[in-house]
Amino acid sequence: MKKILILNGPNLNLLGVREKSIYGDQSFEQYFDELKSKYAVLDLEYFQSNSEGAIIDMLHEVGFDYDGIVLNAGAYTHTSVAIADAIAAIKTPVVEVHISNVHQREEFRHNSYLSKNCKGVIIGFGLDGYRLGLESLLG
């Protein structure tokens, strides 16, 4: 059974509550339950933190044993060399996901420090981007 972690960064604990016009009205926990049901053949885990260090620690913890990581680092995508370095240091493939189309948003969101160290990037497909990320790790 493949073991995959979905890892969410800052403010994504507020999905379903914050900026519904951008992020929708479903909580991630509700969506994660749907993913677990749809992908019952996978060992899916979920972790969210608003702390950069906790995200790095989790990448280190699972990055040599798991079969994949789907990562939405939130705003850390555009600022964190440390998370980029953590992705480069591990063996587990990472797929970068963004719920909104970051290229239609503020200029600072157009740059990702993480992308060059990831297997791929999925942008702008809402929560469905996580499913697409899982599919890319299964193929």
Side-chain angles (χ1 to χ4, degrees), residues 70-122:
V70 176
L71 171 64
N72 183 342
Y76 287 137
T77 301
H78 321 292
T79 63
S80 183
V81 174
I83 292 175
D85 287 349
I87 295 168
I90 63 176
K91 293 183 180 179
T92 299
V94 176
V95 176
E96 179 182 342
V97 169
H98 299 282
I99 296 168
S100 67
N101 183 343
V102 294
H103 299 290
Q104 292 178 338
R105 298 184 65 193
E106 303 93 337
E107 184 73 28
F108 75 88
R109 295 186 196 275
H110 299 184
N111 180 54
S112 168
Y113 284 103
L114 314 182
S115 297
K116 71 181 188 82
N117 297 329
C118 292
K119 175 183 178 187
V121 181
I122 300 169

Short mmCIF file of all heavy atoms in Angstrom, two decimals, residues 70-122:
data_model
loop_
_atom_site.label_atom_id
_atom_site.label_comp_id
_atom_site.label_asym_id
_atom_site.label_seq_id
_atom_site.Cartn_x
_atom_site.Cartn_y
_atom_site.Cartn_z
N VAL A 70 2.11 15.49 -1.19
CA VAL A 70 1.40 16.56 -1.88
C VAL A 70 1.48 17.76 -0.94
O VAL A 70 0.96 17.72 0.17
CB VAL A 70 -0.05 16.17 -2.19
CG1 VAL A 70 -0.80 17.34 -2.83
CG2 VAL A 70 -0.10 14.94 -3.09
N LEU A 71 2.13 18.82 -1.40
CA LEU A 71 2.44 19.96 -0.54
C LEU A 71 1.82 21.25 -1.05
O LEU A 71 2.05 21.64 -2.19
CB LEU A 71 3.96 20.15 -0.45
CG LEU A 71 4.46 21.43 0.23
CD1 LEU A 71 4.08 21.46 1.71
CD2 LEU A 71 5.97 21.55 0.06
N ASN A 72 1.02 21.87 -0.19
CA ASN A 72 0.57 23.24 -0.41
C ASN A 72 1.19 24.05 0.72
O ASN A 72 0.69 24.04 1.84
CB ASN A 72 -0.96 23.35 -0.40
CG ASN A 72 -1.43 24.75 -0.71
OD1 ASN A 72 -0.68 25.72 -0.61
ND2 ASN A 72 -2.70 24.87 -1.06
N ALA A 73 2.28 24.70 0.45
CA ALA A 73 3.01 25.44 1.48
C ALA A 73 2.44 26.84 1.71
O ALA A 73 3.02 27.62 2.47
CB ALA A 73 4.49 25.53 1.10
N GLY A 74 1.31 27.15 1.07
CA GLY A 74 0.71 28.46 1.25
C GLY A 74 1.71 29.56 0.92
O GLY A 74 2.51 29.44 -0.01
N ALA A 75 1.70 30.62 1.69
CA ALA A 75 2.57 31.77 1.43
C ALA A 75 4.05 31.42 1.57
O ALA A 75 4.89 32.13 1.00
CB ALA A 75 2.20 32.91 2.36
N TYR A 76 4.38 30.36 2.28
CA TYR A 76 5.80 29.96 2.37
C TYR A 76 6.38 29.58 1.00
O TYR A 76 7.58 29.60 0.81
CB TYR A 76 5.99 28.79 3.34
CG TYR A 76 5.85 29.16 4.79
CD1 TYR A 76 5.13 28.34 5.65
CD2 TYR A 76 6.42 30.32 5.32
CE1 TYR A 76 4.99 28.66 7.00
CE2 TYR A 76 6.29 30.65 6.66
CZ TYR A 76 5.58 29.80 7.49
OH TYR A 76 5.45 30.12 8.82
N THR A 77 5.50 29.23 0.07
CA THR A 77 5.94 28.93 -1.29
C THR A 77 6.79 30.06 -1.85
O THR A 77 7.77 29.83 -2.55
CB THR A 77 4.70 28.75 -2.20
OG1 THR A 77 3.91 27.69 -1.69
CG2 THR A 77 5.11 28.48 -3.64
N HIS A 78 6.40 31.28 -1.53
CA HIS A 78 7.00 32.48 -2.13
C HIS A 78 8.10 33.09 -1.28
O HIS A 78 8.69 34.09 -1.68
CB HIS A 78 5.90 33.52 -2.36
CG HIS A 78 4.61 32.92 -2.82
ND1 HIS A 78 4.47 32.34 -4.07
CD2 HIS A 78 3.41 32.77 -2.19
CE1 HIS A 78 3.24 31.86 -4.18
NE2 HIS A 78 2.58 32.11 -3.06
N THR A 79 8.39 32.47 -0.13
CA THR A 79 9.36 33.07 0.78
C THR A 79 10.39 32.12 1.36
O THR A 79 11.42 32.56 1.84
CB THR A 79 8.64 33.73 1.99
OG1 THR A 79 7.95 32.71 2.74
CG2 THR A 79 7.66 34.80 1.53
N SER A 80 10.13 30.82 1.34
CA SER A 80 10.93 29.90 2.14
C SER A 80 12.00 29.13 1.37
O SER A 80 11.73 28.10 0.75
CB SER A 80 10.05 28.90 2.88
OG SER A 80 10.85 28.07 3.69
N VAL A 81 13.21 29.63 1.47
CA VAL A 81 14.36 28.89 0.96
C VAL A 81 14.56 27.63 1.80
O VAL A 81 14.95 26.58 1.29
CB VAL A 81 15.62 29.78 0.98
CG1 VAL A 81 16.87 28.99 0.60
CG2 VAL A 81 15.43 30.97 0.05
N ALA A 82 14.24 27.71 3.09
CA ALA A 82 14.42 26.57 3.99
C ALA A 82 13.53 25.39 3.60
O ALA A 82 13.98 24.24 3.62
CB ALA A 82 14.14 27.00 5.43
N ILE A 83 12.27 25.64 3.23
CA ILE A 83 11.41 24.55 2.78
C ILE A 83 11.90 24.01 1.44
O ILE A 83 11.92 22.80 1.22
CB ILE A 83 9.93 24.99 2.73
CG1 ILE A 83 9.41 25.25 4.15
CG2 ILE A 83 9.06 23.93 2.04
CD1 ILE A 83 8.00 25.81 4.23
N ALA A 84 12.34 24.88 0.56
CA ALA A 84 12.91 24.43 -0.72
C ALA A 84 14.11 23.52 -0.48
O ALA A 84 14.25 22.47 -1.12
CB ALA A 84 13.32 25.63 -1.56
N ASP A 85 14.97 23.90 0.46
CA ASP A 85 16.14 23.08 0.78
C ASP A 85 15.72 21.74 1.37
O ASP A 85 16.34 20.70 1.08
CB ASP A 85 17.06 23.80 1.76
CG ASP A 85 17.83 24.95 1.12
OD1 ASP A 85 17.84 25.07 -0.13
OD2 ASP A 85 18.42 25.75 1.88
N ALA A 86 14.68 21.73 2.20
CA ALA A 86 14.20 20.47 2.79
C ALA A 86 13.68 19.53 1.71
O ALA A 86 13.94 18.32 1.75
CB ALA A 86 13.12 20.76 3.83
N ILE A 87 12.97 20.07 0.73
CA ILE A 87 12.47 19.24 -0.37
C ILE A 87 13.64 18.67 -1.17
O ILE A 87 13.64 17.49 -1.53
CB ILE A 87 11.52 20.06 -1.28
CG1 ILE A 87 10.26 20.45 -0.52
CG2 ILE A 87 11.16 19.27 -2.54
CD1 ILE A 87 9.41 21.50 -1.22
N ALA A 88 14.64 19.49 -1.42
CA ALA A 88 15.82 19.03 -2.16
C ALA A 88 16.58 17.94 -1.41
O ALA A 88 17.20 17.07 -2.03
CB ALA A 88 16.75 20.20 -2.47
N ALA A 89 16.51 17.96 -0.08
CA ALA A 89 17.29 17.04 0.74
C ALA A 89 16.67 15.65 0.89
O ALA A 89 17.36 14.71 1.26
CB ALA A 89 17.51 17.65 2.12
N ILE A 90 15.37 15.53 0.61
CA ILE A 90 14.70 14.26 0.83
C ILE A 90 14.60 13.45 -0.46
O ILE A 90 14.83 13.97 -1.55
CB ILE A 90 13.30 14.46 1.46
CG1 ILE A 90 12.38 15.26 0.53
CG2 ILE A 90 13.45 15.15 2.83
CD1 ILE A 90 10.95 15.43 1.04
N LYS A 91 14.23 12.18 -0.33
CA LYS A 91 14.12 11.29 -1.50
C LYS A 91 12.69 11.16 -2.00
O LYS A 91 12.47 10.87 -3.17
CB LYS A 91 14.66 9.91 -1.14
CG LYS A 91 16.14 9.91 -0.89
CD LYS A 91 16.66 8.52 -0.61
CE LYS A 91 18.17 8.61 -0.38
NZ LYS A 91 18.76 7.32 -0.07
N THR A 92 11.72 11.35 -1.13
CA THR A 92 10.31 11.20 -1.50
C THR A 92 9.91 12.31 -2.48
O THR A 92 10.18 13.48 -2.22
CB THR A 92 9.43 11.27 -0.24
OG1 THR A 92 9.80 10.20 0.63
CG2 THR A 92 7.96 11.16 -0.57
N PRO A 93 9.25 11.94 -3.59
CA PRO A 93 8.81 12.98 -4.53
C PRO A 93 7.73 13.86 -3.93
O PRO A 93 6.84 13.39 -3.21
CB PRO A 93 8.27 12.19 -5.73
CG PRO A 93 8.00 10.82 -5.22
CD PRO A 93 8.90 10.58 -4.05
N VAL A 94 7.82 15.16 -4.24
CA VAL A 94 6.88 16.16 -3.74
C VAL A 94 6.18 16.81 -4.93
O VAL A 94 6.83 17.22 -5.89
CB VAL A 94 7.61 17.24 -2.91
CG1 VAL A 94 6.66 18.34 -2.48
CG2 VAL A 94 8.31 16.60 -1.71
N VAL A 95 4.86 16.91 -4.83
CA VAL A 95 4.07 17.64 -5.82
C VAL A 95 3.56 18.91 -5.14
O VAL A 95 2.93 18.85 -4.09
CB VAL A 95 2.89 16.80 -6.34
CG1 VAL A 95 2.02 17.62 -7.30
CG2 VAL A 95 3.39 15.54 -7.03
N GLU A 96 3.89 20.04 -5.74
CA GLU A 96 3.45 21.35 -5.22
C GLU A 96 2.04 21.64 -5.74
O GLU A 96 1.79 21.53 -6.95
CB GLU A 96 4.43 22.42 -5.69
CG GLU A 96 4.10 23.82 -5.26
CD GLU A 96 5.09 24.84 -5.80
OE1 GLU A 96 6.21 24.48 -6.23
OE2 GLU A 96 4.73 26.03 -5.81
N VAL A 97 1.15 22.03 -4.84
CA VAL A 97 -0.24 22.31 -5.20
C VAL A 97 -0.64 23.69 -4.70
O VAL A 97 -0.26 24.10 -3.59
CB VAL A 97 -1.18 21.24 -4.58
CG1 VAL A 97 -2.64 21.64 -4.70
CG2 VAL A 97 -0.97 19.89 -5.22
N HIS A 98 -1.41 24.39 -5.52
CA HIS A 98 -2.02 25.67 -5.13
C HIS A 98 -3.49 25.64 -5.52
O HIS A 98 -3.81 25.31 -6.67
CB HIS A 98 -1.32 26.85 -5.80
CG HIS A 98 0.12 26.93 -5.42
ND1 HIS A 98 0.52 27.44 -4.21
CD2 HIS A 98 1.22 26.51 -6.07
CE1 HIS A 98 1.85 27.35 -4.14
NE2 HIS A 98 2.28 26.78 -5.25
N ILE A 99 -4.35 25.97 -4.59
CA ILE A 99 -5.79 25.95 -4.83
C ILE A 99 -6.18 27.01 -5.86
O ILE A 99 -6.93 26.73 -6.80
CB ILE A 99 -6.55 26.17 -3.51
CG1 ILE A 99 -6.25 25.00 -2.55
CG2 ILE A 99 -8.05 26.33 -3.75
CD1 ILE A 99 -6.70 25.23 -1.12
N SER A 100 -5.68 28.22 -5.70
CA SER A 100 -6.00 29.30 -6.63
C SER A 100 -4.94 29.37 -7.72
O SER A 100 -3.86 28.80 -7.60
CB SER A 100 -6.06 30.64 -5.88
OG SER A 100 -4.78 31.00 -5.41
N ASN A 101 -5.27 30.08 -8.78
CA ASN A 101 -4.28 30.34 -9.83
C ASN A 101 -3.42 31.51 -9.35
O ASN A 101 -3.81 32.67 -9.47
CB ASN A 101 -4.95 30.65 -11.16
CG ASN A 101 -3.93 30.86 -12.26
OD1 ASN A 101 -2.74 31.07 -12.02
ND2 ASN A 101 -4.39 30.80 -13.50
N VAL A 102 -2.26 31.20 -8.81
CA VAL A 102 -1.40 32.23 -8.22
C VAL A 102 -0.95 33.26 -9.24
O VAL A 102 -0.62 34.39 -8.89
CB VAL A 102 -0.18 31.60 -7.50
CG1 VAL A 102 -0.63 30.79 -6.30
CG2 VAL A 102 0.65 30.74 -8.45
N HIS A 103 -0.98 32.91 -10.51
CA HIS A 103 -0.56 33.85 -11.56
C HIS A 103 -1.63 34.89 -11.89
O HIS A 103 -1.36 35.84 -12.61
CB HIS A 103 -0.11 33.09 -12.80
CG HIS A 103 1.04 32.19 -12.52
ND1 HIS A 103 2.31 32.66 -12.26
CD2 HIS A 103 1.10 30.85 -12.40
CE1 HIS A 103 3.11 31.64 -12.01
NE2 HIS A 103 2.41 30.54 -12.07
N GLN A 104 -2.82 34.71 -11.33
CA GLN A 104 -3.88 35.70 -11.47
C GLN A 104 -3.99 36.57 -10.22
O GLN A 104 -4.89 37.38 -10.12
CB GLN A 104 -5.23 35.00 -11.69
CG GLN A 104 -5.34 34.31 -13.02
CD GLN A 104 -6.67 33.58 -13.17
OE1 GLN A 104 -7.33 33.25 -12.20
NE2 GLN A 104 -7.05 33.34 -14.42
N ARG A 105 -3.05 36.39 -9.33
CA ARG A 105 -3.09 37.11 -8.05
C ARG A 105 -1.92 38.08 -7.97
O ARG A 105 -1.28 38.40 -8.96
CB ARG A 105 -3.11 36.09 -6.91
CG ARG A 105 -4.37 35.21 -6.99
CD ARG A 105 -4.50 34.26 -5.87
NE ARG A 105 -4.70 34.99 -4.62
CZ ARG A 105 -4.59 34.42 -3.43
NH1 ARG A 105 -4.28 33.15 -3.32
NH2 ARG A 105 -4.79 35.12 -2.33
N GLU A 106 -1.60 38.53 -6.77
CA GLU A 106 -0.55 39.52 -6.58
C GLU A 106 0.79 39.03 -7.16
O GLU A 106 1.07 37.84 -7.17
CB GLU A 106 -0.34 39.79 -5.07
CG GLU A 106 -1.57 40.25 -4.35
CD GLU A 106 -2.36 39.12 -3.70
OE1 GLU A 106 -2.24 37.94 -4.13
OE2 GLU A 106 -3.13 39.40 -2.77
N GLU A 107 1.57 39.98 -7.61
CA GLU A 107 2.85 39.68 -8.28
C GLU A 107 3.76 38.79 -7.42
O GLU A 107 4.42 37.89 -7.94
CB GLU A 107 3.56 41.00 -8.62
CG GLU A 107 4.84 40.83 -9.41
CD GLU A 107 4.62 40.42 -10.85
OE1 GLU A 107 3.57 40.74 -11.43
OE2 GLU A 107 5.53 39.76 -11.41
N PHE A 108 3.81 39.04 -6.11
CA PHE A 108 4.73 38.26 -5.27
C PHE A 108 4.38 36.77 -5.26
O PHE A 108 5.23 35.93 -4.98
CB PHE A 108 4.80 38.81 -3.84
CG PHE A 108 3.60 38.50 -2.98
CD1 PHE A 108 3.55 37.33 -2.24
CD2 PHE A 108 2.53 39.38 -2.90
CE1 PHE A 108 2.45 37.04 -1.44
CE2 PHE A 108 1.44 39.11 -2.11
CZ PHE A 108 1.38 37.93 -1.38
N ARG A 109 3.13 36.42 -5.58
CA ARG A 109 2.71 35.02 -5.60
C ARG A 109 3.12 34.30 -6.88
O ARG A 109 2.95 33.09 -7.00
CB ARG A 109 1.20 34.91 -5.42
CG ARG A 109 0.72 35.39 -4.08
CD ARG A 109 -0.77 35.12 -3.91
NE ARG A 109 -1.34 35.87 -2.82
CZ ARG A 109 -1.32 35.49 -1.54
NH1 ARG A 109 -0.76 34.36 -1.20
NH2 ARG A 109 -1.88 36.25 -0.62
N HIS A 110 3.67 35.02 -7.84
CA HIS A 110 4.05 34.41 -9.11
C HIS A 110 5.34 33.62 -9.02
O HIS A 110 5.67 32.86 -9.92
CB HIS A 110 4.18 35.48 -10.20
CG HIS A 110 2.91 36.22 -10.46
ND1 HIS A 110 2.81 37.15 -11.47
CD2 HIS A 110 1.69 36.19 -9.87
CE1 HIS A 110 1.59 37.66 -11.48
NE2 HIS A 110 0.89 37.09 -10.51
N ASN A 111 6.10 33.81 -7.95
CA ASN A 111 7.39 33.12 -7.78
C ASN A 111 7.27 32.03 -6.73
O ASN A 111 6.71 32.24 -5.66
CB ASN A 111 8.46 34.12 -7.35
CG ASN A 111 9.80 33.46 -7.17
OD1 ASN A 111 10.29 32.79 -8.06
ND2 ASN A 111 10.38 33.61 -6.00
N SER A 112 7.84 30.87 -7.04
CA SER A 112 7.90 29.77 -6.08
C SER A 112 9.35 29.36 -5.88
O SER A 112 10.04 29.05 -6.84
CB SER A 112 7.11 28.56 -6.57
OG SER A 112 7.39 27.43 -5.78
N TYR A 113 9.78 29.36 -4.64
CA TYR A 113 11.11 28.83 -4.32
C TYR A 113 11.11 27.30 -4.35
O TYR A 113 12.17 26.68 -4.45
CB TYR A 113 11.55 29.30 -2.93
CG TYR A 113 12.01 30.72 -2.89
CD1 TYR A 113 11.20 31.73 -2.38
CD2 TYR A 113 13.27 31.08 -3.38
CE1 TYR A 113 11.62 33.05 -2.35
CE2 TYR A 113 13.70 32.40 -3.35
CZ TYR A 113 12.87 33.37 -2.83
OH TYR A 113 13.29 34.67 -2.81
N LEU A 114 9.94 26.69 -4.28
CA LEU A 114 9.83 25.24 -4.13
C LEU A 114 9.82 24.48 -5.45
O LEU A 114 10.31 23.36 -5.53
CB LEU A 114 8.54 24.89 -3.37
CG LEU A 114 8.21 25.70 -2.12
CD1 LEU A 114 6.95 25.19 -1.48
CD2 LEU A 114 9.38 25.71 -1.15
N SER A 115 9.26 25.08 -6.49
CA SER A 115 8.96 24.37 -7.74
C SER A 115 10.13 23.60 -8.33
O SER A 115 9.97 22.48 -8.80
CB SER A 115 8.43 25.35 -8.79
OG SER A 115 7.22 25.92 -8.38
N LYS A 116 11.31 24.19 -8.31
CA LYS A 116 12.45 23.53 -8.96
C LYS A 116 12.84 22.23 -8.27
O LYS A 116 13.49 21.38 -8.87
CB LYS A 116 13.65 24.47 -9.05
CG LYS A 116 14.35 24.77 -7.74
CD LYS A 116 15.52 25.73 -7.96
CE LYS A 116 16.32 25.88 -6.71
NZ LYS A 116 17.28 24.80 -6.52
N ASN A 117 12.41 22.05 -7.03
CA ASN A 117 12.74 20.83 -6.30
C ASN A 117 11.58 19.83 -6.25
O ASN A 117 11.69 18.80 -5.60
CB ASN A 117 13.18 21.19 -4.87
CG ASN A 117 14.44 22.02 -4.87
OD1 ASN A 117 15.28 21.88 -5.74
ND2 ASN A 117 14.56 22.91 -3.91
N CYS A 118 10.48 20.15 -6.93
CA CYS A 118 9.30 19.31 -6.90
C CYS A 118 9.16 18.51 -8.19
O CYS A 118 9.66 18.91 -9.25
CB CYS A 118 8.05 20.17 -6.71
SG CYS A 118 7.97 20.92 -5.07
N LYS A 119 8.44 17.40 -8.09
CA LYS A 119 8.15 16.57 -9.26
C LYS A 119 7.32 17.35 -10.27
O LYS A 119 7.49 17.22 -11.47
CB LYS A 119 7.40 15.31 -8.82
CG LYS A 119 6.94 14.45 -9.95
CD LYS A 119 6.15 13.25 -9.49
CE LYS A 119 5.71 12.47 -10.73
NZ LYS A 119 4.81 11.38 -10.40
N GLY A 120 6.40 18.17 -9.76
CA GLY A 120 5.53 18.96 -10.62
C GLY A 120 4.76 19.96 -9.79
O GLY A 120 4.83 19.95 -8.56
N VAL A 121 4.00 20.81 -10.50
CA VAL A 121 3.23 21.87 -9.85
C VAL A 121 1.82 21.86 -10.44
O VAL A 121 1.65 21.81 -11.65
CB VAL A 121 3.87 23.25 -10.08
CG1 VAL A 121 3.08 24.35 -9.39
CG2 VAL A 121 5.32 23.26 -9.62
N ILE A 122 0.82 21.92 -9.55
CA ILE A 122 -0.58 21.97 -9.97
C ILE A 122 -1.17 23.26 -9.40
O ILE A 122 -1.15 23.47 -8.19
CB ILE A 122 -1.35 20.73 -9.47
CG1 ILE A 122 -0.71 19.47 -10.07
CG2 ILE A 122 -2.82 20.84 -9.82
CD1 ILE A 122 -1.19 18.18 -9.47
#
